[in-house]
Amino acid sequence: MDAEVAAFFSETHPRMSNLMNGEIDRFSADKLINMLAKAGMEIRVEVFPKVA
């Protein structure tokens, strides 16, 4: 199963282990967004001005 998931996302098993262990800092924002899209998720990015 793990190998299938890694193949689906075009990642190695160790990289998927990083993700599953919550080590998202090892992934770029682009990579995470692309993986969510590939998984069929709807993605919305909202940006708001910082309140001083």
Side-chain angles (χ1 to χ4, degrees), residues 2-37:
D2 290 342
E4 291 176 30
V5 172
F8 177 80
F9 287 112
S10 302
E11 284 294 337
T12 63
H13 183 269
R15 293 269 295 158
M16 292 307 298
S17 291
N18 292 144
L19 184 62
M20 297 306 294
N21 289 329
E23 299 172 26
I24 63 169
D25 57 325
R26 294 179 175 258
F27 296 83
S28 69
D30 280 349
K31 184 64 174 178
L32 292 170
I33 290 169
N34 288 334
M35 291 173 83
L36 287 168

Side-chain angles (χ1 to χ4, degrees), residues 43-49:
I43 299 126
R44 294 183 205 165
V45 178
E46 296 184 63
V47 179
F48 298 94

